[in-house]
Amino acid sequence: LDACLKEYNDQHDAESHWTCSDLLRVPRHVVAASCGDEEQCDVLLQRCQGMDPLRIVDDNGGLAKTVSVEDSYIRGSVRTMNCILKAIEELYTRLPRLLDDRRLDSERPELSYPSTIRVTVRLKDERITGRRPFVTKSKQNSFDGRKLMMMDSDKEVERSELLRAATRPLLDQLLRDKINELDLTRLNIAVTGFADLGVQASSPLESKQRSVKQFFLADNQGCQRKTAAGSLTQTISTQKGAYYSAEKKRKVSCTTLDTMFQEQQKQQKQFPKSHEDLPNASLSPLSSSEATTTCKTENHKNIDPSFLAALPPDIRAEVERDMQHQVAATNNVTSGKKHSKKKA
């Protein structure tokens, strides 16, 4: 496109970039001839005009971690405490409706309630000069969101009263120093700390995710699985990405995890399968509980600490529980062998 851009535009500085306005000065047929594709030409010209014909595709994102409502006001229109209290009443009505909509999308609607509420105000500050002489302040506190969500949706008065009781102390703290020079331009109420965000579904099919045990025992060759419907497949890298972006947003590359897992398997092969194989077992016999503790400790020693440290706390805890179950199963087999030897 450089040649036609130079032809239809004034002298252009070699160090500067061509702009959308420059391209729009070029006739369409010239741009199409330069691109060699009329469809690509139309997309390019539409983008230069701020239009995108591509449809927006839902990414099936997770539940909202924060739900908020706000309103803004013209400078000088909200200058008293009574005006602020009147303006915030509308937010008390809008917020529960959004929480009701979020509950419909939750897999655990009985846990779709917040535990923290936050109030944010933006005030005009006479001491600040410039185009935006504003200061923004926030205060938050614990909140009985469960009580709010247990109320029927048609009880707007009771819901508003509960929100009013939770936000009024925060509002007083925010405006205490500005009570004689109030000029509110924005007011926001937000709730967060939802209980259903930290709860997994009862089965991998319900949550559309694999369990931790399946995750680590996945077949590395092919790295594909069928979904609940049995018709779609996803790569194991996609599944790993879902685990570490949904809860803690800690991104661990699949290559690193696979390497850690292979190292763990090598170390576990070298670990004795029962307390009979532990050093000095014949010299100092251990009780069943002592053997379990020893096996558990040794088992954790053979795990790369960086492997466990890279995992979110909830997944790390589940991995450790699976290993404890393996140790318990090993001890049961060992006890059975001893019992059979005594009978013989």
Side-chain angles (χ1 to χ4, degrees), residues 275-288 290-291 294 338:
H275 66 271
E276 290 181 339
D277 300 327
L278 292 172
N280 301 324
S282 59
L283 298 177
S284 56
L286 300 176
S287 65
S288 177
E290 292 173 337
T294 304
K338 284 188 173 183

Side-chain angles (χ1 to χ4, degrees), residues 6 49 72 89 94-95 101 112 118 133 141 147-148 150 161 180 229 233 241 246 254 259 278 294 308 334 340 344:
K6 291 180 179 179
Q49 294 174 335
S72 57
E89 287 295 326
R94 290 164 50 193
L95 182 59
D101 292 341
S112 181
R118 180 176 66 247
N141 200 359
K147 183 177 180 179
L148 175 69
M150 288 178 66
E161 183 62 32
N180 295 325
T233 58
C254 297
T259 303
L278 292 172
T294 304
L308 289 176
T334 304
S340 60

Side-chain angles (χ1 to χ4, degrees), residues 313-333:
D314 53 344
I315 296 180
R316 179 169 63 247
E318 187 168 345
V319 173
E320 292 176 345
R321 284 197 301 270
D322 286 345
M323 297 189 63
Q324 293 176 16
H325 293 161
Q326 294 176 7
V327 171
T330 302
N331 292 333
N332 291 337
V333 173

Side-chain angles (χ1 to χ4, degrees), residues 78 80-82 84-85 119-123 137 139 168-184 186-187:
V78 182
T80 65
M81 193 65 181
N82 289 335
I84 294 176
L85 296 179
V119 176
T120 303
V121 296
R122 185 180 65 192
L123 302 166
K137 300 189 296 182
K139 287 285 184 181
R168 182 59 190 270
L170 300 177
L171 200 59
D172 290 340
Q173 294 178 35
L174 291 170
L175 304 177
R176 182 181 303 162
D177 300 334
K178 301 284 186 179
I179 197 65
N180 295 325
E181 50 183 17
L182 289 176
D183 192 353
L184 184 73
R186 184 167 70 92
L187 185 59

Side-chain angles (χ1 to χ4, degrees), residues 105-336:
D105 296 330
S106 177
E107 295 180 357
R108 300 293 300 276
E110 72 279 4
L111 297 178
S112 181
Y113 59 85
S115 59
T116 302
I117 191 166
R118 180 176 66 247
V119 176
T120 303
V121 296
R122 185 180 65 192
L123 302 166
K124 181 182 177 182
D125 194 334
E126 299 294 343
R127 296 170 296 181
I128 301 177
T129 58
R131 296 179 58 187
R132 298 185 59 82
F134 305 116
V135 58
T136 302
K137 300 189 296 182
S138 297
K139 287 285 184 181
Q140 70 179 32
N141 200 359
S142 57
F143 172 59
D144 189 2
R146 185 173 186 178
K147 183 177 180 179
L148 175 69
M149 299 309 296
M150 288 178 66
M151 295 180 180
D152 295 335
S153 57
D154 58 348
K155 294 184 178 180
E156 292 187 355
V157 176
E158 290 80 357
R159 284 179 152 190
S160 297
E161 183 62 32
L162 182 61
L163 290 172
R164 188 180 302 109
T167 57
R168 182 59 190 270
L170 300 177
L171 200 59
D172 290 340
Q173 294 178 35
L174 291 170
L175 304 177
R176 182 181 303 162
D177 300 334
K178 301 284 186 179
I179 197 65
N180 295 325
E181 50 183 17
L182 289 176
D183 192 353
L184 184 73
T185 60
R186 184 167 70 92
L187 185 59
N188 176 285
I189 302 177
V191 289
T192 185
F194 289 89
D196 57 353
L197 291 178
V199 179
Q200 297 179 350
S202 57
S203 70
L205 294 182
E206 293 177 4
S207 64
K208 300 180 182 179
Q209 292 181 345
R210 309 179 74 186
S211 66
V212 173
K213 185 174 182 181
Q214 290 174 323
F215 176 78
F216 285 102
L217 296 179
D219 183 6
N220 292 328
Q221 297 179 355
C223 294
Q224 293 184 341
R225 69 172 179 90
K226 292 185 178 181
T227 60
S231 59
L232 300 176
T233 58
Q234 293 180 339
T235 60
I236 194 170
S237 60
T238 303
Q239 299 160 7
K240 291 177 180 178
Y243 270 100
Y244 298 101
S245 62
E247 294 295 332
K248 301 296 182 181
K249 293 184 178 179
R250 296 188 61 179
K251 297 181 179 179
V252 181
S253 65
C254 297
T255 304
T256 304
L257 284 173
D258 291 338
T259 303
M260 291 179 175
F261 179 56
Q262 292 172 4
E263 290 295 328
Q264 180 187 357
Q265 283 185 321
K266 291 180 182 179
Q267 294 173 353
Q268 286 182 343
K269 288 181 180 179
Q270 301 173 358
F271 181 70
K273 295 185 178 180
S274 69
H275 66 271
E276 290 181 339
D277 300 327
L278 292 172
N280 301 324
S282 59
L283 298 177
S284 56
L286 300 176
S287 65
S288 177
S289 60
E290 292 173 337
T292 301
T293 304
T294 304
C295 288
K296 177 181 175 182
T297 303
E298 292 297 328
N299 206 357
H300 282 287
K301 287 182 179 179
N302 281 273
I303 301 177
D304 187 356
S306 62
F307 175 77
L308 289 176
L311 300 176
D314 53 344
I315 296 180
R316 179 169 63 247
E318 187 168 345
V319 173
E320 292 176 345
R321 284 197 301 270
D322 286 345
M323 297 189 63
Q324 293 176 16
H325 293 161
Q326 294 176 7
V327 171
T330 302
N331 292 333
N332 291 337
V333 173
T334 304
S335 301

Side-chain angles (χ1 to χ4, degrees), residues 18-33:
W18 294 109
T19 66
C20 293
S21 298
D22 296 334
L23 184 59
L24 291 175
R25 294 190 186 99
V26 182
R28 180 187 175 280
H29 69 277
V30 178
V31 178

